[in-house]
Amino acid sequence: MAKERFQHDAENVDDASEQDLLSDDVEIVSKSEMKRHMHSLQTLGERLAGMPDIWPELDLPDRLLKALSDFNAIPSREAKRRHLQFIGKQMRTIDHDAVLAAIELRDSGSDYQKNLHHEAERWRERLLAAGHRSEEQQAMNDLITEFVSANPATEVQALRQTLRNAVKDLQLKRNRGNTRKLYQLIRDGLAREV
């Protein structure tokens, strides 16, 4: 019946109004393009559901906030798929660019954290290797000096003491948490400089 009504409406349109429609700046979107847009909104919604800590920053509508929090509680795969469609529908009403910018900012922050972690690990391994070879005390001191000159906020005495304790623990094959403390001191020193 809807098809007949559509055909009937199309027959009643005169040529002048057809020309008006074509001459206006009306953007015609294909069905495939609409589907791609909806899938992108669903994907964006799924990423947003995994980052509840940024929801308050975005000023999201209450209905979307509830849908996002409900998504994380749904155990069934099929129910999650259907719920993502609902989230995508709710996301039509918000500023997608702001959401995407907030997510990308958070992702770049996690890249920063990964890089910071890897750099701290490298420094810890270098310091432990230099400290483990006790005949090269000067090499260890030079390495500590290099680290402290690059990261002046680091407490030198705490770094030296923790390094000595970590090396001693490794030599005696015991775990007192000094290698972890050494990592934390290095990471804190690196983070303060950024």
Side-chain angles (χ1 to χ4, degrees), residues 3-194:
K3 189 174 186 179
E4 291 174 13
R5 187 173 68 226
F6 179 74
Q7 288 175 346
H8 176 72
D9 290 342
E11 291 171 2
N12 290 334
V13 175
D14 61 349
D15 290 333
S17 63
E18 232 176 79
Q19 290 297 325
D20 290 341
L21 283 175
L22 292 176
S23 66
D24 287 342
D25 292 330
V26 176
E27 185 178 333
I28 299 175
V29 179
S30 70
K31 187 175 180 181
S32 299
E33 192 173 337
M34 287 178 9
K35 281 185 175 182
R36 281 190 296 272
H37 179 67
M38 277 308 297
H39 284 291
S40 70
L41 288 179
Q42 290 172 19
T43 303
L44 187 62
E46 187 173 16
R47 288 178 69 190
L48 187 59
M51 300 177 171
D53 51 326
I54 65 170
W55 296 350
E57 301 169 12
L58 297 173
D59 191 35
L60 300 172
D62 292 337
R63 194 166 181 184
L64 179 57
L65 285 172
K66 173 131 178 54
L68 290 170
S69 64
D70 290 347
F71 177 78
N72 294 324
I74 297 173
S76 167
R77 183 174 179 262
E78 179 62 21
K80 278 187 180 261
R81 185 192 64 77
R82 287 191 312 269
H83 198 72
L84 269 178
Q85 290 177 340
F86 176 70
I87 289 173
K89 185 176 180 182
Q90 296 303 313
M91 293 209 40
R92 290 185 207 165
T93 62
I94 65 169
D95 181 16
H96 315 113
D97 294 332
V99 171
L100 190 58
I103 289 174
E104 287 176 355
L105 180 65
R106 186 58 49 103
D107 284 346
S108 69
S110 66
D111 287 344
Y112 164 75
Q113 293 296 329
K114 277 191 260 182
N115 292 338
L116 182 65
H117 167 72
H118 290 304
E119 188 174 356
E121 281 287 331
R122 284 191 295 272
W123 271 108
R124 180 175 70 172
E125 292 305 316
R126 288 176 63 194
L127 287 166
L128 287 172
H132 197 63
R133 296 184 303 266
S134 58
E135 66 274 357
E136 296 182 24
Q137 185 68 26
Q138 186 58 40
M140 184 181 77
N141 288 336
D142 291 344
L143 199 55
I144 290 173
T145 304
E146 179 186 341
F147 180 79
V148 171
S149 65
N151 306 289
T154 306
E155 298 177 29
V156 182
Q157 190 59 37
L159 181 65
R160 285 183 193 280
Q161 184 63 43
T162 306
L163 178 59
R164 274 193 298 265
N165 292 340
V167 168
K168 191 180 214 179
D169 286 350
L170 289 174
Q171 289 171 343
L172 297 175
K173 295 183 179 160
R174 62 182 180 194
N175 183 7
R176 290 190 173 173
N178 287 309
T179 55
R180 186 172 18 91
K181 288 177 191 173
L182 179 64
Y183 167 81
Q184 194 60 48
L185 275 171
I186 293 168
R187 190 175 188 284
D188 290 347
L190 290 169
R192 285 189 197 124
E193 292 308 308
V194 174

